[in-house]
């Protein structure tokens, strides 16, 4: 299905509003904290010294890009409906914990009342926009207007297999690390996932465990969807890869900055696995973005799909042509309208040109069939 023009414009505006909300918080952090220190804080450097506690994380910078791209895609892309659904789902899931965490004691001791009030207002606005995106994507759908309107596209076989293998593997790695967190540090449960006074995170961002589980679920869902060439697998896969990128990139930056490769052999097995996971996440994110970013195949029937004729005597696409019953309108050679030459074809006359339904359709496959090059025998 395709979105109406009004739904596209409304969805684009809402994505723009979400982008403005995130951009305002990024500007606040850049002004309150030195930019290089903000980058070090986002990367998780233990020696980061900022003048004020940032309210954002590297994920917010990624979400800004996601919202900006979605605002453009809502107006121009054939998969605008699934783009709005993916953005709405991620927005709701990412901003929901803020409703009970922004007013907590940990946030109260780290941020001013004015800043927390603005964060709570932004959280409600983001949730409202996310819900509105889901409603628009469902209520604003319509069938295609004509044969030349761009239809939704699906990822190709190579991109689908690549996304399935990499995203499902990345999701499994994230789930494994979350299981390890709960087993090794049971005292952090449930603050690790729903927030609390013992663990800190960005003012407008969800708890670390919540964000990790969200990314893992998106990776698994998009990977399985890609295997079936689903239309929604491209938007969800791109968003999942984008959310996977900050963690991998931050880990790679830490590894390079502290020259951990030089001491890789002396590190513990868990630290070695952590480094390997960082590089794997960055590799998966980049490769999936490259695989799913190009436009896929149009979601239209192929030459062997229902509605296309595969030869004489079989129903074609659109009106029927000439020939045996089932391939053509009732005419010559049929029992309803016998012609004078029923005993056999005229040796001196060429067979009529086949109409649509034989082989690939002409003129896009839609509209009335072209006239035959010569009248049929017995006309």
């Amino acid at each position: 299905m395709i979105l109406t023009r009004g739904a596209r414009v409304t969805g684009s505006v809402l994505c723009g509003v979400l982008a403005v909300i995130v951009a305002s918080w990024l500007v606040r952090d850049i002004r309150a904290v030195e930019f290089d220190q903000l980058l070090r804080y986002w990367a998780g450097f233990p020696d980061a010294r900022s003048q004020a506690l940032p309210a954002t994380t590297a994920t917010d910078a990624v979400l800004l890009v996601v919202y900006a791209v979605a605002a453009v895609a809502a107006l121009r892309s054939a998969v605008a409906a699934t783009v709005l659904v993916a953005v709405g789902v991620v927005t709701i899931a990412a901003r929901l914990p803020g409703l009970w965490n922004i007013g907590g004691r940990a946030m109260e001791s780290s941020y001013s009342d004015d800043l927390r009030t603005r964060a709570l207002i932004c959280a409600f606005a983001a949730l409202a926009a996310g819900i509105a995106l889901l409603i628009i994507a469902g209520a604003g759908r319509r069938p295609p207007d004509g044969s030349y309107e761009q239809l939704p596209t699906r990822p190709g076989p190579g991109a689908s297999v690549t996304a399935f293998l990499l995203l499902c593997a990345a999701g499994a790695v994230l789930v494994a690390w979350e299981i390890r967190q709960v087993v090794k540090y049971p005292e952090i449960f449930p603050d690790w996932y729903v927030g609390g006074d013992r663990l800190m995170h960005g003012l407008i961002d969800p708890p670390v465990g919540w964000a990790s589980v969200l990314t893992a679920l998106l990776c698994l869902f998009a990977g399985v969807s890609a295997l079936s060439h689903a239309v929604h697998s491209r938007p969800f896969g791109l968003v999942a890869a984008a959310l996977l990128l900050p963690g991998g990139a931050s880990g790679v930056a830490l590894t390079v900055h502290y020259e951990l490769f030089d001491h890789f052999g002396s590190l513990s097995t868990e630290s070695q696995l952590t480094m390997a996971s960082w590089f794997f996440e960055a590799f998966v994110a980049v490769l999936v973005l490259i695989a799913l970013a190009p436009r896929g195949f149009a979601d239209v029937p192929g030459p062997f799909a229902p509605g296309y004729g595969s030869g004489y005597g079989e129903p074609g696409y659109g009106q029927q042509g000439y020939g045996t019953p089932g391939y053509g309108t009732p005419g010559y050679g049929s029992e309803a309208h016998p012609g004078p030459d029923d005993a056999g074809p005229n040796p001196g006359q060429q067979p009529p040109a086949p109409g649509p339904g034989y082989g690939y359709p002409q003129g896009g496959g839609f509209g009335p069939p072209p006239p035959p090059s010569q009248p049929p025998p017995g006309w």
Side-chain angles (χ1 to χ4, degrees):
M1 301 295 285
I2 300 175
L3 285 182
T4 61
R5 180 63 181 175
R8 287 176 176 269
V9 174
T10 306
S12 178
V13 171
L14 289 175
C15 291
V17 170
L18 292 171
V20 170
I21 292 175
V22 177
S24 64
W25 284 103
L26 293 175
V27 171
R28 178 265 171 192
D29 280 354
I30 293 175
R31 290 180 175 179
V33 184
E34 294 181 5
F35 185 68
D36 61 333
Q37 293 298 324
L38 180 61
L39 293 179
R40 296 173 69 87
Y41 174 82
W42 283 354
F45 284 20
D47 58 348
R49 297 291 183 268
S50 57
Q51 300 174 356
L53 187 61
T56 61
T57 63
T59 302
D60 293 298
V62 172
L63 285 177
L64 175 61
V65 178
V66 170
Y67 290 145
V69 173
V72 177
L75 295 175
R76 304 180 58 182
S77 176
V79 293
T82 51
V83 169
L84 297 185
V85 171
V87 172
V89 169
V90 170
T91 300
I92 294 172
R95 301 311 182 196
L96 185 61
L99 298 185
W100 60 79
N101 282 325
I102 292 176
R105 287 183 297 176
M107 297 297 179
E108 184 178 356
S109 61
S110 302
Y111 300 97
S112 64
D113 292 342
D114 178 65
L115 202 62
R116 289 187 295 110
T117 301
R118 283 190 290 167
L120 192 59
I121 294 174
C122 290
F124 276 108
L127 287 173
I131 295 173
L133 288 175
L134 298 182
I135 296 174
I136 292 171
R141 295 181 299 173
R142 62 170 176 81
D145 284 338
S147 60
Y148 298 101
E149 186 170 20
Q150 186 180 5
L151 299 179
T153 57
R154 303 173 184 269
S160 296
V161 174
T162 301
F164 167 71
L165 295 176
L166 294 180
L167 287 178
C168 287
V173 169
L174 292 175
V175 170
W177 279 112
E178 290 307 309
I179 295 175
R180 173 262 181 195
Q181 288 289 103
V182 175
V183 172
K184 190 172 183 178
Y185 304 105
E187 64 275 6
I188 67 174
F189 185 83
D191 292 12
W192 179 257
Y193 295 103
V194 297
D197 300 333
R198 291 178 294 178
L199 297 174
M200 276 297 300
H201 53 84
L203 177 62
I204 65 173
D205 292 293
V208 179
W210 181 290
S212 180
V213 171
L214 171 61
T215 305
L217 292 178
L218 283 174
C219 288
L220 294 174
F221 174 74
V224 174
S225 301
L227 188 62
S228 60
H229 303 280
V231 173
H232 62 264
S233 61
R234 286 186 61 234
F236 273 93
L238 290 172
V239 172
L243 294 180
L244 195 65
L245 185 60
S250 300
V252 172
L254 284 170
T255 302
V256 174
H257 179 76
Y258 291 105
E259 300 179 349
L260 297 181
F261 271 127
D262 297 340
H263 312 283
F264 185 82
S266 60
L267 297 176
S268 64
T269 302
E270 184 173 331
S271 298
Q272 293 175 349
L273 291 176
T274 300
M275 289 178 55
S277 299
W278 288 339
F279 278 84
F280 179 69
E281 290 176 14
F283 171 77
V284 168
V286 173
L287 198 59
V288 171
L289 288 174
I290 294 174
L292 295 181
R295 182 180 300 172
F297 294 99
D299 189 21
V300 296
F304 301 103
Y308 279 75
S310 58
Y312 289 101
E314 296 183 11
Y317 187 85
Q319 298 185 8
Q320 295 175 325
Y322 298 95
T324 58
Y327 186 86
T329 54
Y332 75 93
S334 66
E335 295 181 1
H337 300 276
D341 301 320
D342 284 345
N346 190 339
Q349 184 150 12
Q350 298 179 354
Y358 181 80
Y360 292 93
Q362 302 178 11
F366 292 87
S373 59
Q374 296 184 11
W379 186 263

